[in-house]
Amino acid sequence: MNVYDKAHELARALRESNELKELQLLNNQIQTDTESKRMLDGFRQKQAELQQKMMSGEMPNPEEMQQMEKLYEVINMNPSLRGIFDAERRLSVVMEDIHRIISEPLQEAMKP
């Protein structure tokens, strides 16, 4: 059995999954909605800045966290953006499950 062939088979299955297809559809819809795209891009930029800050060992101050929460609340009022966040969460669950499944052999091999 060739693990690379199986990995490509898994990639094809992911491309055909409802979770990925829904995310692609919603993303395409947002790309055509200038206001939604602007809001999402701004949110993603702020999110990336905070993550970078945390990765460098610096915790965001309470004001930054509160500002991010308020921004998320505003964005979440937009049905298209709420939909893409929900679709991302569903796909993330699938990816986490896949990671857990494919990691099992390594964990078994490393048992004492």
Side-chain angles (χ1 to χ4, degrees), residues 4 12-13 25 30 32 48-49 54 64 66 77 89 93 95 104-107:
Y4 294 103
R12 282 189 298 276
L25 176 68
I30 286 173
T32 62
E49 290 170 6
M54 288 188 273
E64 288 175 310
Q66 189 175 35
M77 288 184 213
R89 274 191 289 276
V93 168
M95 297 301 291
E104 285 174 3
L106 178 60
Q107 291 173 357

Side-chain angles (χ1 to χ4, degrees), residues 44-56 58-61 64-65 67-69:
R44 297 272 195 230
Q45 178 65 33
K46 184 69 174 166
Q47 189 177 42
E49 290 170 6
L50 287 178
Q51 286 174 343
Q52 184 65 33
K53 194 174 201 178
M54 288 188 273
M55 287 174 58
S56 69
E58 187 180 346
M59 288 304 295
N61 62 50
E64 288 175 310
M65 293 303 293
Q67 189 179 42
M68 192 67 178
E69 288 173 17

Side-chain angles (χ1 to χ4, degrees), residues 5-6 18 40 46 51 75 80 82 85 90 99 103:
D5 290 343
K6 292 296 181 181
N18 291 334
L40 183 60
K46 184 69 174 166
Q51 286 174 343
I75 283 179
S80 296
R82 185 174 53 244
F85 288 147
R90 286 190 295 279
H99 184 265
S103 296

Side-chain angles (χ1 to χ4, degrees), residues 20-33:
L20 187 60
K21 285 180 179 180
E22 180 182 7
L23 182 59
Q24 288 173 322
L25 176 68
L26 292 169
N27 187 54
N28 289 341
Q29 289 173 353
I30 286 173
Q31 297 305 312
T32 62
D33 178 351

Side-chain angles (χ1 to χ4, degrees), residues 31-44:
Q31 297 305 312
T32 62
D33 178 351
T34 308
E35 183 61 21
S36 293
K37 182 176 178 353
R38 184 190 62 75
M39 290 173 68
L40 183 60
D41 289 347
F43 177 78
R44 297 272 195 230

